[in-house]
Each structure stands twice: as C-alpha cells, then as structure tokens.
C-alpha cells in the first residue's frame, strides 16, 4: 500500500538560478511520520548552490537528491509537507522531467513514495501531442522498409499462405525460421509458410542467383507460384520476411492489404549498416526482451544492434576476470555501492547478462542476420567501474574535481594509469571472445573537459607526452585502446568525440555522429567512416511533440515521427565521399524508459523510420504510406 505520495510543480524562469521545483509530500497513510529524510531522483537537477524553502540538508549525486523537513516537523495523516528547491542545473520541459522515484527513510526503515507527474503552469504547455496520421497506402501491400522496386499487375484474395513442398531442406529450414519469427511477433496470426501444398496456398520456389548481392532478393509472382531469387543467406531471409509481412498485412487488415497475384519485387538495401542502439544500463531489459528486440529488428530488415552494456548507472555484462562488476556494479539503491538513480530508487535495482545469456542472444542475432556490436563505454560514463574498484582512480586526485554532464563526479577511467589498461585488456579479451562482430564500440562520449586535470598521474603523463589537456589525454587513451582491440582482431567504433583532441588515425575506425547533423560531414572530411545517428532525429528517447504531457527527453529538441522519417543522412555531403557514410542508427537511450509501455511509445514508429532510411532510396520513401503501415508494427 502506498502511504506517501509526492507531487511536484515546476515554476520556470529564464534564469535557472531562480527556476523552482515546488514539492508537496502527502501522507496518505494512518500514522504520523516524523524524523524522516526524503530521497528522490529527478532529471531536473538541483544546482550545487540551490536554496531550499521549508527543507534542509540537501545532498545530490547526479539525479539523486536527499533532504529533510525542518527539525521537529511532523507529517500527520492527510497532511502535506510543502517545500521548494530553487536553482536548477537544467530546465524541465515535460512531465517525466521531475521525480521518477522517491522514498523516505524513517528510523532506518525505507518507505517507497509514489511520484506523480511533474506539473507546470498552463502557459508552459503547448498541448501538442505525438502525431502519426492515419496515412494512405499507395499499393495494397504491407512491406516495411519499402522495396527499391515493386510492380504488381493483379491482386488476389485466394491465397492465405505460401507452400514450399518442392524446396530443399535448407530452404524449408529458412521458411520455418521466418514462420517462427512471425509467430513470436504476432502469436495470433497464421503462419505465412506451409510445407505441403493446399488449395489456399501458392507454391513458393527459392532460387539462388549468383548475380545478386548477398543481401539482395527478388520475387516474381505469377498465377500459380511465387519465385524468390536471392544472393546470399541474408537476401533469402529478407525475401521470406517480406513474404511474411505481405501475409501478415493481408490477414490482419484485409480491407487495406492483399497478396500480389502477378508482379515483381526487386530489392536490396541502400546501406550496409542499419542499426539500433540499446541502452541497458540506465534501465535494464531482460534477456527475453533483448531477444524480442532482435526479432523486431529482423522484421524491419535491420542488421546491427549496438548493445550499450555499461554506463555510470550500472555494468550489465558478466566479466569472469572481474565478477564484482556485476555482483556489485550492476546494482544501485539503498545499501548498494551506488545510490538509486532514475526509476526504482527505493529498492535495489539490478540486472545483468551472464556470458551464457550473451551466447544465446548472439546466436539468436546470427540466426536473424544481425551483428551485435557490444559497447563498453570508456573512459567516461564509468562510475559503475570506479565505484566497484576505487583503486583504479588516481588516489591523489581530489574528489569532485570534475563532473560529467549527467552530474557524476570523477567518472572517467584515468588514461595515465596502468590499472586502466590492465582492466580494459582483460575486459576486451572476454568481450572479443563473446561477440563475433568486426567492431567493438568503446564509447568515448561526454568526457567532461576538466577530467583528470587535478590528477598528478595525468599531469605527469601530459608533460611526458606533451599533451595539453583533457581532450589530448582522451585521444592518447583512444590510441592505446585501439591497440588493445587490434590484438583481439577487433576494430574500433566510438561516438564522435573519439575525433577530438587530435583524434586517432581514421583507418578502419567507425564513428557515430550524434551531437548534431553537421557532425556527419565533419567526421567524413576528417577521413572517418561514419554512421549517422543525430540526436535531433534518431534518438528515440527524444520527445515526439512539444506538449508537456509527452514523455521523453528534450536536450536535442522535439523529434517528430515525421521529421525522423524525413531526415536524409547524406544531405550536404560531398558526392566523392558518400562511400564513407556507412549507414544509419536509431538510439534507444533509456533514462526515461522505466517500463515497456513507455518503451513502445518512444520507439515506435520511429525505429522503422530509421530502418527505411537505411534500406530504401530517398526518392522511394513516402510518409503517408509509412504512417499507414505503422498501425500494424510489432511492439516489445
Ligand atoms: C547523450 S549520446 C548521451 C547519453 C544519454 C543521451 C540521452 C551519447 C553518446 N551520450 O549518455 O543517454 O544523450 O539522450
């Protein structure tokens, strides 16, 4: 039974030093509460010099805040304690920017507090909500992403599935695999493929065609059969998936979608990298949810999962050489090495993947033609590591000598310490053996510009190596990490900041351009291979409309589904360098994704907007068709 609730009201001000959060903690229980402290976690953070009204003793670590009522205060049943925090680090713009989780501590006992949505004056709310129109189909066929070429001259309602009675065992196995995919995503729909002929099915004939590239396929529909030609295993599976989508559309919305009777599809992807990134540190996703996300990617013919396995808020991958990374570093909350952050702060919040889990997930991905690129975020975003192993920090570096943009103190692995590289050697050895991918993503993002400047070891390294500050130290670190990866036969992928402070030799390096769209061109001009993932368009945690009630983050502004769909990653690039743009990626950052309902609201339909930009030529995209198709997308 919830006995305490927390309402919060945001009073905006141009000057953040006078912007206010006005709190009201109400006792809905039967007992008077006294001598308690309140802890809450909120993305709208109190400034270091915030002032309090009717409260005292504020401490803060990143999003975690703790304070108490004035001494002697008693909170009687039905009554509220009203207090104010004035002076904020960042403005609130949406209802989930306030406290996400809270608890009170009374004589050592922790009582969960139910957090209400953040509220604000009506004039700060545009009232706008996410808008995906009903849309309009131009052809009555459900395929996402849209093929490069399709011509259908007749439609039929007589077919309900395809049959492969003549196929080889390999072809039948492939069709059975796509049957499985379809059934997992839509358990209530019929299977698209049968293995014996029947009156309601069309024969499906598969043909390997050496003239087609690995990922290419073509389908020819004629009166009594469909012929699927394919270049390689991915092309074969993509063709089968398209047939499964056609069957699913015709089943679930027969008023809109049908089977082709005669016609052709010829198709191959625009980019080789059609990625989704998933942050499992801020909020964990169970193994079965990761498996299902892979199914969702395969349904949209996406072929990369960048798995963000570590961050300040938790380390999620079992490492045999450092078991404490998960036994301790994967937990936050009362009594843990780290305080609670984001959602669920009253309880111990934890989650990690064993190496056996990872092997299962990787093998599922391989089956679905998806490459999992693991991300170990370094040197920044390393609070979970440094709290687990404080000995990795320069002991002479003062506490709180710098803070990350998320407010974590001293959260970057020190580039001047042997311990750092010994640690990464062992971690990457295990990571390399678990993931067959060509790349390991080493993060490289958001190292605060004051990092390490007060570390005597870093100062010594700077003078020995003639490095001028944080960014050059960071580039030095990247160069060493790259050598470690090379030993394990892996190439380096990272966020765009890997190019800062002089960067590293671009040969074989792949960078994610995220901070703004212009970065894609800047990195390409510096010689790097690039994946376009601008926060403004491809960050699926960004709000989809300006209205206050819309959930999500807003540092990169509003990212409407239509604008995500319309974004063209190659705009402004030199024709001669287009080959350095390797693809596109949707990023699922999870600070706000406390449950699957929010996950689905944020991720769909934008994830397939990115899938379609990755697959389909820009001139073949059509927002109205995509919007119509989105009515029957799968969800987590
Ligand atoms: C920036 S993008 C981050 C993440 C946050 C994200 C939230 C990037 C490389 N760093 O740490 O989760 O914004 O949108």
């Amino acid at each position: 039974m919830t006995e305490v609730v927390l309402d919060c009201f945001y009073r905006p001000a141009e000057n953040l030093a006078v912007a206010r959060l006005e709190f009201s903690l109400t006792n809905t229980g039967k007992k008077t509460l006294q001598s308690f402290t309140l802890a809450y976690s909120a993305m709208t953070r109190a400034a270091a010099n915030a002032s309090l009204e009717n409260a005292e003793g504020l401490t803060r670590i990143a999003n975690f805040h703790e304070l108490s009522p004035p001494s002697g205060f008693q909170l009687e049943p039905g009554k509220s304690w009203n207090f104010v925090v004035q002076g904020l680090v960042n403005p609130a713009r949406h209802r989930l920017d306030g406290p996400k989780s809270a608890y009170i501590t009374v004589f050592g006992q922790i009582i969960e507090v139910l957090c209400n949505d953040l509220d604000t004056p009506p004039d700060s709310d545009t009232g706008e909500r996410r808008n995906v129109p009903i849309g309009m189909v131009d052809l009555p066929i459900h395929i996402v992403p849209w093929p490069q070429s399709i011509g259908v001259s007749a439609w039929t309602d007589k077919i309900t599935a395809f049959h492969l009675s003549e196929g080889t065992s390999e072809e039948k196995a492939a069709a059975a695999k796509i049957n499985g995919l379809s059934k997992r995503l839509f358990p209530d729909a019929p299977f698209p493929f049968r293995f014996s002929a029947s009156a309601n099915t069309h024969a499906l004939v598969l043909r390997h065609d050496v003239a087609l590239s690995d990922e290419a396929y073509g389908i020819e529909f004629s009166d009594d059969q469909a012929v699927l030609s394919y270049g390689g295993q991915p092309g074969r599976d993509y063709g089968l998936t398209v047939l499964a989508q056609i069957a699913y559309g015709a089943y679930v919305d027969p008023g809109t979608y049908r089977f082709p009777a005669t016609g052709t599809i010829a198709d191959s992807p625009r980019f080789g990298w059609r990625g989704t990134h998933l942050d499992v540190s801020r909020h964990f996703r169970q193994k079965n949810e990761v498996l299902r996300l892979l199914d969702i990617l395969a349904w949209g013919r996406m072929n990369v999962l960048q798995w963000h396995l570590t961050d300040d808020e938790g380390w999620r991958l079992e490492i045999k050489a450092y078991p404490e990374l998960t036994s301790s570093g994967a937990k936050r909350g009362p009594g843990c090495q780290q305080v609670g952050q984001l959602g669920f702060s009253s309880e111990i919040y934890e989650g990690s993947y064993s190496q056996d889990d990872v092997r299962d997930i990787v093998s599922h991905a391989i089956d679905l033609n998806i490459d999992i690129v693991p991300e170990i975020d370094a040197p920044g975003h390393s609070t979970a590591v440094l709290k687990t192993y404080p000995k990795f920090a320069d002991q002479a570096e003062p506490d709180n000598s710098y803070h990350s943009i998320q407010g974590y103190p001293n959260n970057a692995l020190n580039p001047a310490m042997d311990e750092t590289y010994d640690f990464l050697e062992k971690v990457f050895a295990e990571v390399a053996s678990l993931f067959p991918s060509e790349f390991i993503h080493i993060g490289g993002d958001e190292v605060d510009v004051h990092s390490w400047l007060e570390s005597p070891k870093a100062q010594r390294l700077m003078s020995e190596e003639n490095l001028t500050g944080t960014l050059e130290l960071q580039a030095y670190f990247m160069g060493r990490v790259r050598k470690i990866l090379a030993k394990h036969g892996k190439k380096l992928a990272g966020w765009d900041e890997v190019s800062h402070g002089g960067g590293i030799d671009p040969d074989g390096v792949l960078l994610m351009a995220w901070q703004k769209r212009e970065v894609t061109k800047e990195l390409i001009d510096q010689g790097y291979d690039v994946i376009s993932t601008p926060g403004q368009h491809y960050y699926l945690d960004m709000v989809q409309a300006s209205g206050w009630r819309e959930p999500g983050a807003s540092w990169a502004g509003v990212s409407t589904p239509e604008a995500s769909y319309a974004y063209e990653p190659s705009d402004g690039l030199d024709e001669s360098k287009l080959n350095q743009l390797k693809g596109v990626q949707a990023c699922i950052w999870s600070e706000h994704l406390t449950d699957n309902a929010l996950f689905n609201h944020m991720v769909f339909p934008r994830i397939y907007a990115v899938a379609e930009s990755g697959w389909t030529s820009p001139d073949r995209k059509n927002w109205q068709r995509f919007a119509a198709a989105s009515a029957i997308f799968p969800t987590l």
Side-chain angles (χ1 to χ4, degrees):
M1 245 297 264
T2 300
E3 300 203 326
V4 192
V5 295
L6 183 64
D7 283 339
C8 188
F9 190 89
Y10 174 63
R11 187 119 2 232
E14 222 35 33
N15 175 1
L16 282 173
V18 293
R20 293 152 69 90
L21 289 176
E22 299 170 358
F23 293 84
S24 184
L25 184 82
T26 303
N27 181 354
T28 57
K30 293 198 170 67
K31 285 189 216 127
T32 296
L33 299 168
Q34 56 190 319
S35 303
F36 63 90
T37 59
L38 169 70
Y40 71 88
S41 173
M43 309 262 302
T44 302
R45 307 198 311 266
N49 58 355
S51 59
L52 302 176
E53 289 170 24
N54 202 30
E56 53 198 41
L58 175 69
T59 57
R60 178 176 72 75
I61 305 168
N63 298 312
F64 176 90
H65 303 69
E66 191 159 30
L67 38 61
S68 359
S71 73
F73 179 83
Q74 299 204 340
L75 186 57
E76 288 163 13
K79 293 283 189 314
S80 299
W81 162 39
N82 298 319
F83 65 95
V84 175
V85 174
Q86 176 169 316
L88 303 171
V89 173
N90 49 330
R93 297 196 186 92
H94 299 275
R95 72 177 163 93
L96 296 187
D97 289 339
K100 280 193 191 308
S101 62
Y103 59 89
I104 57 172
T105 310
V106 197
F107 298 113
Q109 194 204 339
I110 285 178
I111 302 174
E112 190 186 349
V113 171
L114 186 97
C115 291
N116 219 324
D117 292 320
L118 185 63
D119 202 1
T120 199
D123 60 0
S124 326
D125 182 6
T126 63
E128 277 178 21
R129 298 299 313 280
R130 171 175 77 162
N131 176 30
V132 180
I134 292 168
M136 205 167 61
V137 299
D138 41 0
L139 282 180
I141 190 168
H142 180 67
I143 304 176
V144 181
W146 196 246
Q148 306 294 12
S149 148
I150 176 167
V152 180
S153 41
W155 304 92
T156 175
D157 301 319
K158 299 228 173 67
I159 315 174
T160 58
F162 301 93
H163 75 82
L164 290 93
S165 57
E166 303 301 317
T168 65
S169 65
E170 252 184 37
E171 292 165 2
K172 288 180 183 174
K177 177 170 80 179
I178 304 303
N179 261 357
L181 171 67
S182 167
K183 206 61 173 179
R184 288 192 301 277
L185 290 172
F186 308 106
D188 54 332
F191 285 111
F193 303 110
R194 301 184 69 81
F195 301 91
S196 54
S198 93
N200 305 320
T201 55
H202 249 156
L204 174 64
V205 178
L206 269 61
R207 270 190 206 140
H208 181 227
D209 181 345
V210 288
L212 293 178
S213 64
D214 213 35
E215 294 191 289
Y217 72 94
I219 310 172
E220 234 168 275
F221 300 92
S222 58
D223 284 340
D224 54 349
Q225 67 174 19
V227 178
L228 167 60
S229 325
Y230 60 89
Q233 178 186 314
R236 179 198 68 198
D237 291 353
Y238 294 154
L240 290 167
T241 305
V242 163
L243 289 169
Q245 290 187 338
I246 293 172
Y248 178 64
Y251 167 73
V252 81
D253 186 359
T256 308
Y257 300 116
R258 307 175 72 189
F259 279 90
T262 52
T264 55
I265 293 176
D267 202 12
S268 62
R270 178 182 183 197
F271 290 116
W273 183 296
R274 305 177 301 281
T276 289
H277 148 289
L278 177 70
D279 166 11
V280 292
S281 175
R282 276 58 177 271
H283 285 108
F284 184 66
R285 303 249 103 79
Q286 301 293 338
K287 175 182 173 186
N288 65 336
E289 294 168 329
V290 178
L291 292 171
R292 187 171 171 87
L293 181 65
L294 290 168
D295 287 344
I296 288 167
L297 301 190
W299 192 247
R301 282 170 272 141
M302 299 184 95
N303 65 349
V304 179
L305 177 71
Q306 181 185 325
W307 201 4
H308 186 81
L309 288 159
T310 74
D311 213 305
D312 293 303
E313 290 84 353
W315 181 287
R316 307 283 173 216
L317 172 66
E318 179 192 14
I319 298 292
K320 305 268 189 207
Y322 297 101
E324 297 82 7
L325 281 173
T326 42
S327 66
S328 187
K331 295 183 183 168
R332 56 183 196 245
C336 297
Q337 65 174 37
Q338 279 205 72
V339 293
Q341 298 286 352
L342 305 165
F344 313 98
S345 55
S346 71
E347 55 201 88
I348 295 178
Y349 184 79
E350 64 181 314
S352 61
Y353 308 98
S354 69
Q355 296 200 350
D356 282 340
D357 290 339
V358 169
R359 277 184 275 271
D360 291 346
I361 289 169
V362 167
S363 119
H364 190 66
I366 290 172
D367 232 25
L368 297 173
N369 307 295
I370 296 169
D371 197 19
I372 301 192
V373 176
E375 180 183 353
I376 302 297
D377 201 347
H381 290 275
S382 291
T383 302
V385 179
L386 291 166
K387 284 276 178 186
T388 308
Y389 302 110
K391 62 179 181 205
F392 291 172
D394 181 348
Q395 304 301 312
E397 179 181 45
D399 291 341
N400 297 307
S401 65
Y402 60 92
H403 288 87
S404 72
I405 186 151
Q406 283 91 1
Y408 283 95
N410 294 19
N411 74 335
L413 297 176
N414 194 314
M417 294 187 52
D418 293 338
E419 288 83 346
T420 296
Y421 303 102
D422 290 347
F423 170 72
L424 291 174
E425 281 266 3
K426 293 193 186 120
V427 168
F428 286 133
E430 293 189 32
V431 170
S433 77
L434 284 169
F435 294 93
S437 61
E438 183 184 3
F439 290 97
I440 290 180
H441 197 293
I442 51 73
D445 58 313
E446 296 184 322
V447 171
D448 180 73
V449 289
H450 303 106
S451 300
W452 314 306
L453 297 179
E454 294 180 47
S455 149
K457 290 199 164 127
Q459 289 163 352
R460 199 171 323 130
L461 180 68
M462 283 195 275
S463 68
E464 280 164 15
E465 297 284 330
N466 208 9
L467 306 170
T468 57
T470 297
L471 294 182
E472 292 192 5
L473 280 165
Q474 174 180 309
Y476 168 89
F477 169 89
M478 292 299 162
R480 288 194 59 174
V481 169
R482 179 211 212 133
K483 287 199 190 118
I484 297 176
L485 296 183
K487 265 204 273 182
H488 299 290
K490 300 293 187 185
K491 294 182 177 164
L492 184 150
W495 299 106
D496 55 49
E497 295 97 318
V498 169
S499 70
H500 294 181
I504 54 177
D505 173 4
D507 186 35
V509 171
L510 182 67
L511 299 187
M512 272 71 189
W514 69 276
Q515 303 198 52
K516 50 188 172 128
R517 62 177 306 153
E518 296 76 14
V519 175
T520 299
K521 181 171 163 45
E522 289 163 19
L523 295 177
I524 284 181
D525 288 345
Q526 289 166 42
Y528 294 100
D529 283 346
V530 177
I531 301 299
S532 171
T533 180
Q536 294 71 16
H537 302 289
Y538 284 0
Y539 271 26
L540 306 189
D541 60 324
M542 289 302 134
V543 280
Q544 297 169 80
S546 60
W548 184 263
R549 282 173 300 165
E550 205 52 50
S554 52
W555 68 260
V558 172
S559 168
T560 66
E562 185 173 1
S564 294
Y565 184 79
Y567 178 67
E568 172 42 46
S570 71
D571 276 354
L573 302 183
D574 298 344
E575 200 71 25
S576 63
K577 296 181 183 159
L578 279 179
N579 65 332
Q580 287 169 251
L581 177 61
K582 297 296 176 191
V584 292
Q585 185 157 289
C587 288
I588 306 176
W589 294 105
S590 66
E591 287 94 332
H592 288 286
L593 304 185
T594 44
D595 58 52
N596 286 354
L598 278 166
F599 184 98
N600 287 330
H601 179 83
M602 302 304 294
V603 168
F604 299 95
R606 291 183 295 182
I607 187 171
Y608 284 166
V610 180
E612 193 150 306
S613 282
W615 185 285
T616 311
S617 309
D619 58 320
R620 303 212 23 99
K621 285 170 51 176
N622 174 336
W623 164 242
Q624 291 294 334
R625 177 191 64 226
F626 177 84
S630 75
I632 59 169
F633 286 171
T635 51
L636 196 67

